[in-house]
C-alpha cells in the first residue's frame, strides 16, 4: 500500500468534514459555541476550497473542515495530502463516494522524488474496506508509475532504460517480454521503426509484452515510445523541443494501463506493443523526401521527419492487427494539432466503430477522466497523397493535423478490428489540486473502468 493510505482505523484518525457551500450555514448553526467562535476568528467563510483545522479545547487537532461548491468535483480535496499536518485522516462524507475521493487523495500525494528530496510526507487517508483499498491503490500506484516514467528525462529514460522498465514490469507480473533491437528490426521487417530510430546511439526497438490466458479475449495496447523528439532533421525550435522527453507518454500510458489490468487480474489476453526510439539528429538520420517501405508494404514518403510517431506506430499496429485482437487501443502524444483543437486537458479519441467510442466517452465522463471524439473524416485522406509513394506522412496543408494523423494510422488497421486511437498531452503545464505540474496519465481511469465492465462481468 502506498504511504498516503492506511487501512486500519484508530482512535487518532482525524475526520475531515466535507461540506458544500449551500449546506454550510445550516451545519454551522448546529455547532458548539467553541467551533462557531473558532471559525469566526479564522474568518472561515464557507467558500469553495476553504479549509479549517479545528482543535479541541486542549489545542489538539480534532477535525478538519473542508468546503467545496457542490461536492461534485472529483479533484476538490486534491491539495489536502500535502497541506494538512502529517497524520491519519478519514473522510466524513455522504454525498460523493469515498473511493473516488481516495483516488484523488492518492493522486494529490504524488511527488517526483528521483532528483529532488520530497518536501514532506503526505498526510495519510484511511480507506475503509467497502471503498476497496486494493482497487484504489492499484489505480494510484499505476498512475504514479506513468508520471514517473514521463517525468524522467531522456538521458535516464532512453530506449534501453525504457525497455528495462518493461522487463521489470514483466517480472513483477509474470508477463512475457520480448524485444527486437537495432538491425534485427530490419531482419524482422520493422523498417519504419528502424528508420526513425537509427540516428540514435541507443538503438531503436520493439517491445512486446504478453500476459494472461490465451483463451480470454485479446486486448492489444500500442504506445508511442519516442524517448525524445528533436524533430529529426526537420528540427524543432527550442520552445517546442523543451518538453519532448514526454514523447514516450503513450508508452508510459499503455504500461500504466497494463499494470492496472495485470494487478487486477482482468480476464484479458493482453498484448502490449511499444515501438521505442529516439528521434535524433545525426549524419545517418532519415531525411525529408526519403521513401520508406512499411511493415505492411505500403511506401511512405517523408514529408516531415517530425511526424515520426505515426511511422513507428504504423509498423507496430501492423503487427498488432495480424492477431486480430478483440480490441486495439493505441495511445500517443501524436500531434500538436490535437492540443490546438482541444487544449491540454482533453485527449482526442478517434475510433473506427461508434459503440466503443461511445462507451469510452461515457466512462470518461463517469470517472471525471474526460476525452473528446474527433472524426476519422475520410475526405481528408487525399491530403496524404504523394506523387511518389503510396502515402505521405504529413498532410499537404497544416489544417486538421490530428485528424490527418489519425487517418494515416487508419491505413494500417483493417476496418473490422475495433480500434481506438488516443492523441493526448500526457503533461500538466501547471499544478492543480490532484494534478501536479509534469507528466500525467489521461484517460486511464476511464479505460480501466471500461475494461472492467466489458471483461469482468
Ligand atoms: N511529438 C510531437 C507532437 C506533440 C507536440 C505532442 C507537442 C504534444 C505537444 C510529434 O511527433 C510532432 O512533432 N508532430 C508534428 C507533426 C507535423 C510535423 C505534421 C506536429 O504536431 O507539429
Ligand atoms: Zn515529432
Ligand atoms: Zn513525436
Amino acid at each position: 500500500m502506498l504511504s498516503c493510505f492506511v487501512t486500519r482505523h484508530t482512535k487518532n484518525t482525524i475526520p475531515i468534514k466535507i461540506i458544500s457551500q449551500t449546506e454550510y450555514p445550516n451545519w454551522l448553526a448546529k455547532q458548539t459555541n467553541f467551533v462557531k467562535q473558532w471559525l469566526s476568528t479564522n474568518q472561515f467563510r464557507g467558500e469553495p476550497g476553504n479549509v479549517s483545522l479545528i482543535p479541541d479545547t486542549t489545542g489538539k487537532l480534532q477535525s478538519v473542515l473542508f468546503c467545496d461548491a457542490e461536492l461534485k468535483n472529483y479533484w476538490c480535496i486534491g491539495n489536502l495530502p500535502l497541506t494538512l499536518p502529517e497524520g491519519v485522516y478519514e473522510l466524513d462524507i455522504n454525498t460523493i463516494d469515498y473511493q473516488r475521493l481516495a483516488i484523488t487523495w492518492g493522486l494529490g500525494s504524488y511527488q517526483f522524488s528521483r532528483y529532488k528530496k520530497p518536501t514532506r510526507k503526505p498526510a495519510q487517508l484511511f480507506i475503509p474496506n467497502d471503498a476497496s483499498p486494493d482497487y484504489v491503490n492499484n489505480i494510484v500506484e499505476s498512475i504514479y508509475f506513468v508520471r514517473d516514467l514521463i517525468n524522467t528525462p531522456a538521458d535516464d529514460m532512453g530506449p534501453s532504460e525504457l525497455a528495462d522498465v518493461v522487463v521489470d514490469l514483466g517480472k513483477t507480473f509474470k508477463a512475457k517480454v520480448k524485444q527486437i533491437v537495432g538491425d534485427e528490426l530490419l531482419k524482422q521487417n520493422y523498417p519504419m521503426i528502424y528508420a526513425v530510430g537509427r540516428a540514435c546511439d541507443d538503438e531503436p526497438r520493439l517491445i512486446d509484452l504478453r500476459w494472461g490466458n490465451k483463451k480470454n479475449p485479446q486486448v492489444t495496447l500500442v504506445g508511442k515510445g519516442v524517448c525524445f523528439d528533436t524533430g529529426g532533421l526537420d528540427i524543432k525550435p527550442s520552445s517546442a523541443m523543451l518538453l519532448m522527453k514526454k514523447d514516450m507518454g503513450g508508452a508510459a500510458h499503455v504500461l500504466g494501463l497494463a499494470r492496472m489490468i495485470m494487478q487486477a487480474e482482468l480476464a484479458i489476453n493482453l498484448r502490449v506493443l511499444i515501438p521505442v526510439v529516439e528521434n535524433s539528429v545525426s549524419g545517418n538520420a532519415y531525411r525529408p523526401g526519403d521513401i520508406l517501405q512499411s511493415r505492411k508494404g505500403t511506401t511512405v514518403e517523408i514529408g516531415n521527419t517530425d511526424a515520426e510517431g505515426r511511422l513507428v506506430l504504423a509498423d507496430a499496429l501492423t503487427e498488432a492487427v495480424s492477431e486480430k485482437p478483440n480490441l486495439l487501443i493505441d495511445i500517443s502524444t501524436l500531434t500538436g494539432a490535437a492540443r490546438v483543437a482541444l487544449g491540454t486537458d482533453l485527449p482526442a479519441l478517434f475510433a473506427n466503430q461508434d459503440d466503443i467510442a461511445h462507451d469510452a466517452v461515457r466512462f470518461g465522463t463517469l470517472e471525471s477522466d474526460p476525452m473528446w471524439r474527433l472524426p476519422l473524416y475520410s475526405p481528408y485522406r487525399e491530403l496524404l497523397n504523394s506523387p511518389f509513394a503510396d502515402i505521405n506522412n504529413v498532410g499537404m496543408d497544416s489544417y486538421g493535423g490530428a485528424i490527418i494523423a489519425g487517418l494515416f494510422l487508419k491505413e494500417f488497421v483493417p476496418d473490422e478490428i475495433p480500434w481506438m486511437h488516443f492523441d493526448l498531452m500526457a503533461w500538466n503545464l501547471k499544478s492543480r489540486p490532484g494534478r501536479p505540474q509534469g507528466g500525467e496519465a489521461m484517460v486511464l481511469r476511464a479505460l480501466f473502468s471500461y475494461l472492467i465492465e466489458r471483461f469482468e462481468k
Side-chain angles (χ1 to χ4, degrees):
M1 206 48 67
L2 288 161
S3 71
C4 59
F5 296 133
V6 297
T7 51
R8 269 198 25 220
H9 195 269
T10 71
K11 61 179 186 347
N12 294 327
T13 305
I14 302 156
I16 302 175
K17 173 76 189 166
I18 303 180
I19 196 162
S20 74
Q21 194 168 14
T22 40
E23 269 178 314
Y24 179 66
N26 276 338
W27 177 87
L28 185 64
K30 289 185 216 138
Q31 302 311 303
T32 60
N33 285 338
F34 177 88
V35 170
K36 283 181 189 152
Q37 186 58 52
W38 177 264
L39 291 170
S40 146
T41 305
N42 286 285
Q43 299 191 320
F44 189 91
R45 289 182 225 284
E47 287 163 1
N50 281 180
V51 188
S52 183
L53 305 182
I54 303 177
D56 63 15
T57 47
T58 68
K60 230 178 106 194
L61 181 55
Q62 192 219 14
S63 66
V64 175
L65 180 64
F66 178 82
C67 191
D68 183 52
E70 289 180 70
L71 301 189
K72 284 187 186 146
N73 174 8
Y74 189 92
W75 297 109
C76 65
I77 62 164
N79 276 341
L80 295 184
L82 296 176
T83 50
L84 291 179
E86 279 176 33
V88 181
Y89 297 83
E90 69 179 318
L91 302 173
D92 176 5
I93 40 165
N94 36 35
T95 23
I96 23 179
D97 89 59
Y98 206 108
Q99 185 178 81
R100 309 184 76 203
L101 288 181
I103 294 173
T104 302
W105 187 282
L107 297 178
S109 302
Y110 177 81
Q111 290 171 288
F112 181 56
S113 56
R114 180 158 172 167
Y115 305 92
K116 195 178 172 186
K117 269 216 166 96
T119 49
R120 51 161 288 180
K121 288 187 190 151
Q124 297 178 293
L125 182 71
F126 164 71
I127 310 182
N129 266 338
D130 55 11
S132 313
D134 289 340
Y135 174 83
V136 171
N137 195 66
N138 179 16
I139 289 186
V140 174
E141 224 167 43
S142 299
I143 292 178
Y144 281 18
F145 176 65
V146 175
R147 289 174 174 176
D148 282 349
L149 287 175
I150 300 172
N151 284 334
T152 306
D155 206 35
D156 290 328
M157 193 51 70
S160 49
E161 287 96 349
L162 185 53
D164 291 345
V165 169
V166 186
V167 170
D168 282 353
L169 187 71
K171 280 190 190 135
T172 308
F173 292 99
K174 299 196 172 64
K176 289 203 180 103
V177 179
K178 277 198 200 154
Q179 291 189 57
I180 303 170
V181 185
D183 291 343
E184 194 59 30
L185 287 167
L186 286 179
K187 289 192 198 129
Q188 297 198 30
N189 191 27
Y190 293 94
M192 298 209 291
I193 300 175
Y194 180 82
V196 171
R198 74 186 182 204
C200 182
D201 289 337
D202 198 352
E203 292 180 303
R205 58 194 74 210
L206 177 69
I207 304 174
D208 188 351
L209 175 146
R210 290 178 189 271
W211 175 90
N213 189 333
K214 286 241 147 54
K215 289 184 189 134
N216 287 331
Q218 189 179 40
V219 175
T220 299
L221 309 177
V222 179
K224 172 176 171 182
V226 176
C227 292
F228 195 79
D229 184 9
T230 65
L233 293 177
D234 287 311
I235 195 165
K236 287 179 183 291
S238 49
S239 58
M241 206 191 294
L242 186 60
L243 282 181
M244 282 301 130
K245 68 173 180 181
K246 78 175 173 75
D247 214 20
M248 35 58 76
H253 273 69
V254 295
L255 290 171
L257 185 56
R259 196 187 174 287
M260 290 179 194
I261 292 168
M262 296 188 293
Q263 174 78 41
E265 298 185 12
L266 296 195
I268 285 175
N269 170 20
L270 178 67
R271 188 177 190 196
V272 183
L273 283 165
I274 306 180
V276 184
V277 298
E278 198 174 314
N279 189 19
S280 302
V281 183
S282 175
N284 67 341
Y286 81 127
R287 311 161 192 84
D290 281 355
I291 296 177
L292 308 181
Q293 178 130 58
S294 70
R295 178 173 183 77
K296 190 185 169 194
T298 317
T299 54
V300 181
E301 184 185 6
I302 304 305
N304 194 313
T305 62
D306 196 10
E308 82 297 338
R310 62 197 74 180
L311 302 173
V312 299
L313 286 171
D315 275 359
L317 287 170
T318 302
E319 171 53 27
V321 300
S322 71
E323 295 188 346
K324 297 197 167 51
N326 300 71
L327 178 63
L328 173 61
I329 301 174
D330 79 73
I331 306 184
S332 58
T333 50
L334 201 63
T335 69
R339 307 287 64 80
V340 173
L342 297 173
T344 55
D345 293 347
L346 206 46
L349 158 65
F350 297 85
N352 61 355
Q353 296 181 7
D354 290 340
D355 54 345
I356 51 176
H358 293 159
D359 284 345
V361 169
R362 182 163 57 84
F363 276 99
T365 308
L366 269 173
E367 298 295 335
S368 300
D369 195 12
M371 61 189 78
W372 206 266
R373 189 178 182 191
L374 293 181
L376 290 162
Y377 185 63
S378 56
Y380 290 167
R381 168 60 183 80
E382 67 177 31
L383 294 169
L384 286 164
N385 287 347
S386 156
F388 308 117
D390 295 328
I391 194 167
N392 198 294
N393 76 329
V394 295
M396 280 168 207
D397 59 42
S398 55
Y399 298 108
I403 297 174
I404 304 274
L407 288 172
F408 181 91
L409 296 181
K410 188 175 179 291
E411 293 288 310
F412 300 87
V413 181
D415 288 340
E416 63 273 16
I417 295 180
W419 167 59
M420 289 194 255
H421 154 57
F422 290 93
D423 187 344
L424 45 72
M425 179 75 172
W427 192 265
N428 294 320
L429 288 174
K430 60 176 198 303
S431 290
R432 287 161 301 174
R435 289 166 289 177
Q437 184 183 1
E440 184 59 290
M442 301 172 163
V443 308
L444 289 196
R445 288 179 291 112
L447 287 176
F448 187 47
S449 291
Y450 166 66
L451 293 175
I452 289 174
E453 189 195 66
R454 189 164 157 193
F455 296 108
E456 243 355 34
K457 283 185 183 160

